[in-house]
Amino acid sequence: MPNFTDVTQFILLGLTSHQKLKVLFFVVFLLVYMITLLGNIGMIILISISPQLQSPMYFFLSHLSFVDVCLSSNVTPKMLENLLSETKTISYVGCLVQCYFFIALVHVEVYILAAMAFDRYMAICKPLLYGSKMSRTVCVRLISVPYVYGFSVSLICTLWTYGLYFCGNFEINHFYCADPPLIKIACGGVHIKEYTMIVIAGISLTYSLSVLLTSYALLVIAVLRMPSADGRRKAFSTCGSHLTAVSLFYGTLIFMYLRRPTEDSVEQGKMVAVFYTTVIPMLNPMIYSLRNKDVKEAVNKAIIKANLGQ
């Protein structure tokens, strides 16, 4: 029988053990985190104060920005602390809490992206029904589902994480408490946790991807039938930003969670995790604003209004 050990804390090995790289990573990720906060909070404020950004698309975008802020804030501050700390520890309870919010927020973001795809389908394929079918009440209901589902599923997943047993190895080969490296160092309760992780991730990604791909398949068919080339170009340009964000987020998640945890997959996953916990939340406001005329106009009006106020 394994010699199970009571766990009070874990050691996060982080991204590197080289001191010079730690300082470099600290500066880089601190900068990325500050840009993430400014970009996403700025987007939320801009949407809330701009009359031209009150459509369902921007309603969903404001929630995407909120989730990105929460997702990054759940991971990055602890990572920054450990880059400059000698101990690099996280309490057992703190680890479970970090796991809970991470899993919840990832599920919420996955389904918000799916809801945004459905919104684009309705706007382009059924413009006459768009106002009634995507009313404020419908949008609130649509956005409530990801939050309820995400935090409910996360509770189940975290309870399975709580069911893991450890035999003296408390070093997590990661910069935050993630399921794959935790499974790798556990010596009991591993199979059920591994199975539920892959099944739940598979179900969530498959269902949300089905909504997303179906919406875009119907959307592409409708756009190709448009007689105007300018109309087709405008329709595709409004979806380009969303498709970029979807490709980045889904690609990294599939790479991370739909594989069995091994030494190689955990090490590779650590590098991939940097992307979807820090880089993607920073990029999303840029992706949705740089090619968006409505957002650019709203920014210009906000700047003019602020200058007149002075």
Side-chain angles (χ1 to χ4, degrees), residues 146-166:
Y147 285 102
V148 173
Y149 176 79
F151 281 90
S152 300
V153 166
S154 182
L155 180 60
I156 297 169
C157 294
T158 307
L159 288 173
W160 286 122
T161 303
Y162 180 73
L164 292 174
Y165 295 95
F166 302 90

Side-chain angles (χ1 to χ4, degrees), residues 24-187:
L24 175 63
F25 284 162
F26 178 84
V27 173
V28 170
F29 288 119
L30 178 61
L31 181 62
V32 168
Y33 184 53
M34 296 307 296
I35 294 172
T36 299
L37 292 181
L38 289 172
N40 284 288
I41 293 173
M43 182 67 78
I44 293 168
I45 294 171
L46 183 67
I47 291 170
S48 66
I49 64 172
S50 303
Q52 68 266 43
L53 301 182
Q54 298 307 304
S55 67
M57 177 176 128
Y58 298 107
F59 173 77
F60 292 123
L61 181 55
S62 66
H63 281 272
L64 182 67
S65 292
F66 171 73
V67 172
D68 278 339
V69 168
C70 295
L71 184 61
S72 185
S73 298
N74 183 49
V75 172
T76 308
K78 189 63 181 177
M79 178 181 69
L80 294 172
E81 177 192 330
N82 287 342
L83 282 170
L84 298 182
S85 174
E86 291 296 326
T87 54
K88 300 181 183 179
T89 58
I90 184 170
S91 69
Y92 179 68
V93 173
C95 185
L96 290 178
V97 169
Q98 193 177 58
C99 272
Y100 174 72
F101 281 104
F102 176 79
I103 296 168
L105 292 167
V106 166
H107 277 87
V108 173
E109 180 146 349
V110 160
Y111 283 101
I112 287 177
L113 290 171
M116 291 174 76
F118 178 72
D119 170 71
R120 290 299 80 210
Y121 159 73
M122 291 296 297
I124 294 172
C125 298
K126 299 184 183 294
L128 298 178
L129 298 174
Y130 184 64
S132 59
K133 295 294 184 181
M134 295 298 291
S135 65
R136 189 71 174 185
T137 303
V138 172
C139 289
V140 170
R141 288 174 181 171
L142 276 175
I143 205 66
S144 299
V145 172
Y147 285 102
V148 173
Y149 176 79
F151 281 90
S152 300
V153 166
S154 182
L155 180 60
I156 297 169
C157 294
T158 307
L159 288 173
W160 286 122
T161 303
Y162 180 73
L164 292 174
Y165 295 95
F166 302 90
C167 300
N169 181 12
F170 304 136
E171 292 185 343
I172 300 174
N173 185 18
H174 220 291
F175 57 91
Y176 71 94
C177 282
D179 278 345
L182 277 171
I183 291 170
K184 194 74 188 86
I185 65 171
C187 58

